[in-house]
Amino acid sequence: WDVNVFLCSCLRQCLLSLCQLQLTLFYVIVPQNQNVTHNPSLYKKPFAESFEETPLLVAVLTYMGYGILTIFGYLRDFLRHWNIEKCQVAREREEQKDFVPLYQDFENFYTRNLYMRIRDNWNRPICSVPGAKMDLVERVSHDYNWTFEHTGKVVKEVINMGSYNYLGFAENVGACADAAIESTKKYGVGVGSTRCELGNLDIHEEMEQLVARFLGVESSMAFGMGFATNSMNIPALTGKGCLILSDELNHASLVLGARLSASTIRVFKHNNMQSLEKLLRDAIVHGQPRTHRPWKKILIVVEGIYSMEGSIVRLPEVIALKKRYKAYLYLDEAHSIGALGPNGRGVVDYFGLDPKDVDIMMGTFTKSFGAAGGYIGGKKELIDYLRNHSHSALYATSMSPPVAQQIITSMKIIMGEDGTTLGADRLRQLSENTTYFRRKLREMGFIIYGNDDSPVVPMMLYMPAKIGAFGREMLKRNIGTVVVGFPATPIIESRARFCISAAHTREMLNTVSCRPITDHTRCKNDVS
């Protein structure tokens, strides 16, 4: 009976996979162009993004690869079920067989049979500053990536193409490091209390005033964790009877915050203004389900730069729509603040817009500032409200003083208030590196996604076997990359993601963008 149930489950999953394959092939055959600028008059400069459709042959071969892996996965699960093959995953104990299962083994099918084969590409421990170059701890596995052991050796001088170190402030020397050391001597490392109790330091007040001035808003508030900045503050702003319109590629923290708010959530196609406007129009015309009462508030949630696509939000069009339909706008600038705009003030600065047109400006200090935590900026009334209603503000421990000092120092450098041009130089270098690296990859014939000005550069791999192979081959050449596959991306859109930094030299970028045919083959460095 157990065998029959197991085989029926396998057959059902195979049929579902075939249906998904048919739908995907139909999607590939019928191109979906979502990159048309519908209101070019709103833009002061060209807005260029590219998202090449997956070729039909590549899609078929990719699904065949996943199909073969799935078949062998079911076979191995069958062998594990009868103890023919050793099962190394977490399972319920035999004495708990009459309990309701705490978790289902089948839910981890992908992890057991596909992810484990290439797990050596992730969670690699580093033992240096994650700057332009880094040192990796060497590790080996003797049981096909189920466990790892360290060899005691260190892989030196690995070019870091994976960290969000956009402006190169992740460093242990220089003005930021010196200021953080002095802050540690004065305040210590931990605070030991929340902001509303005994954890509100003068350095926190100084940081928030500086952030508000940097953003061009009335007030701001900082939080110790970027993820919690979204997930804990959206529920404080919306609730039952409110509508959230969310981009389909929004970060998990935004999705979690929307779900915790108990608001109605509707998703629009990525950066598609026609889809967003249709949802706005329907929300105004029809109101809430069943009662048809007007929504208490409508909140549009978007990101500045989408970290998996490398695309930039069509902010001028979004603002035009939110004004027309009297909605509110929540902008997550985790990846764009410090990395975009002539002054490094994010996507608002990039488009030359008024910060007052964005109701809630959110961002993190974990990328361009080389620190930790997040912020929300806007009107003073908004920030005062969040100080009394945000769970993250009331219950979370205050930000560590050295981290706050790192933010203050790096932000002053970007603004030029340190008396040097270092901030402007880094912003210019990041822009030049981004343009150069994207051009080199295109010249080599790779398919890359995103906006021409985005420092996040996804390079498409497609097939599952290439995910592990690419990461390993790059590491052999002393290049550290991030490879991403399903479920973080669509199943036929696996990719490698490069994050460009102002700390990268032209020589480093040439090393990465040279075609690595063999270990002994090198391409000429383009120093023009």
Side-chain angles (χ1 to χ4, degrees), residues 46-285:
F47 185 79
E49 290 191 348
S50 60
F51 297 94
E52 184 174 330
E53 293 290 344
T54 305
L56 178 59
L57 177 60
V58 174
V60 172
L61 293 176
T62 302
Y63 264 106
M64 288 178 60
Y66 277 105
I68 293 171
L69 289 171
T70 301
I71 291 172
F72 276 93
Y74 283 125
L75 176 60
R76 298 187 69 179
D77 274 357
F78 179 79
L79 297 177
R80 294 180 187 123
H81 179 76
W82 293 101
N83 295 323
I84 299 174
E85 179 181 337
K86 182 181 178 181
C87 183
Q88 304 191 62
V89 296
R91 304 179 67 180
E92 302 285 353
R93 292 180 296 178
E94 183 65 26
E95 53 266 32
Q96 290 183 313
K97 63 181 180 180
D98 295 327
F99 284 64
V100 176
L102 184 62
Y103 53 85
Q104 296 292 333
D105 283 344
F106 186 77
E107 294 176 359
N108 300 318
F109 176 86
Y110 182 88
T111 302
R112 288 195 305 272
N113 298 297
L114 280 77
Y115 170 70
M116 281 297 172
R117 292 173 176 263
I118 55 177
R119 194 164 74 101
D120 55 301
N121 286 282
W122 293 282
N123 306 314
R124 290 173 178 152
I126 71 172
C127 54
S128 69
V129 174
K133 289 187 176 182
M134 59 186 177
D135 298 337
L136 295 181
V137 177
E138 188 180 73
R139 60 180 184 176
V140 295
S141 176
H142 302 291
D143 53 3
Y144 303 100
N145 295 336
W146 285 101
T147 60
F148 294 96
E149 62 180 49
H150 298 160
T151 63
K153 299 179 181 179
V154 175
V155 184
K156 296 282 189 178
E157 299 292 309
V158 178
I159 298 176
N160 182 5
M161 298 298 295
S163 296
Y164 307 130
N165 185 28
Y166 296 130
L167 292 181
F169 283 116
E171 50 193 0
N172 55 3
V173 294
C176 292
D178 294 340
I181 291 172
E182 292 301 318
S183 176
T184 304
K185 292 179 180 178
K186 179 178 180 180
Y187 297 100
V189 176
V191 179
S193 182
T194 63
R195 291 286 298 274
C196 60
E197 293 175 339
L198 297 177
N200 189 29
L201 306 180
D202 57 347
I203 195 172
H204 294 142
E205 299 283 346
E206 178 187 356
M207 175 184 60
E208 290 178 342
Q209 293 172 10
L210 181 64
V211 170
R213 188 154 48 86
F214 179 69
L215 298 175
V217 296
E218 294 180 6
S219 183
S220 73
M221 183 177 183
F223 303 87
M225 181 181 179
F227 192 97
T229 305
N230 280 330
S231 60
M232 294 290 99
N233 283 295
I234 293 179
L237 295 171
T238 64
K240 191 174 181 180
C242 299
L243 175 64
I244 294 178
L245 302 180
S246 175
D247 190 292
E248 64 180 347
L249 297 183
N250 275 343
H251 190 262
S253 59
L254 294 169
V255 175
L256 178 61
R259 291 176 177 174
L260 291 176
S261 70
S263 303
T264 301
I265 306 170
R266 290 176 184 164
V267 178
F268 61 91
K269 296 179 181 178
H270 173 57
N271 246 355
N272 190 315
M273 297 302 106
Q274 289 179 327
S275 175
L276 174 58
E277 185 170 14
K278 183 180 184 301
L279 291 178
L280 284 167
R281 190 185 301 115
D282 291 344
I284 298 298
V285 172

Side-chain angles (χ1 to χ4, degrees), residues 240-371:
K240 191 174 181 180
C242 299
L243 175 64
I244 294 178
L245 302 180
S246 175
D247 190 292
E248 64 180 347
L249 297 183
N250 275 343
H251 190 262
S253 59
L254 294 169
V255 175
L256 178 61
R259 291 176 177 174
L260 291 176
S261 70
S263 303
T264 301
I265 306 170
R266 290 176 184 164
V267 178
F268 61 91
K269 296 179 181 178
H270 173 57
N271 246 355
N272 190 315
M273 297 302 106
Q274 289 179 327
S275 175
L276 174 58
E277 185 170 14
K278 183 180 184 301
L279 291 178
L280 284 167
R281 190 185 301 115
D282 291 344
I284 298 298
V285 172
H286 300 294
Q288 299 184 40
R290 294 190 298 274
T291 63
H292 300 292
R293 293 176 180 173
W295 295 99
K296 294 180 179 178
K297 70 181 76 167
I298 300 176
L299 181 67
I300 303 171
V301 181
V302 295
E303 293 187 49
I305 293 179
Y306 292 85
S307 59
M308 282 298 173
E309 306 297 320
S311 61
I312 297 176
V313 64
R314 299 179 182 276
L315 191 59
E317 297 180 65
V318 175
I319 289 178
L321 288 176
K322 84 107 180 177
K323 287 182 177 179
R324 183 184 306 169
Y325 293 96
K326 303 297 186 292
Y328 293 99
L329 176 58
Y330 187 107
L331 175 63
D332 179 346
E333 292 214 77
H335 287 268
S336 55
I337 192 69
L340 282 182
N343 303 301
R345 289 179 168 87
V347 69
V348 176
D349 184 32
Y350 175 78
F351 288 111
L353 302 173
D354 188 349
K356 295 179 182 178
D357 289 335
V358 180
D359 302 287
I360 305 104
M361 298 186 71
M362 178 270 171
T364 63
F365 304 117
T366 56
K367 281 81 175 175
S368 297
F369 303 97

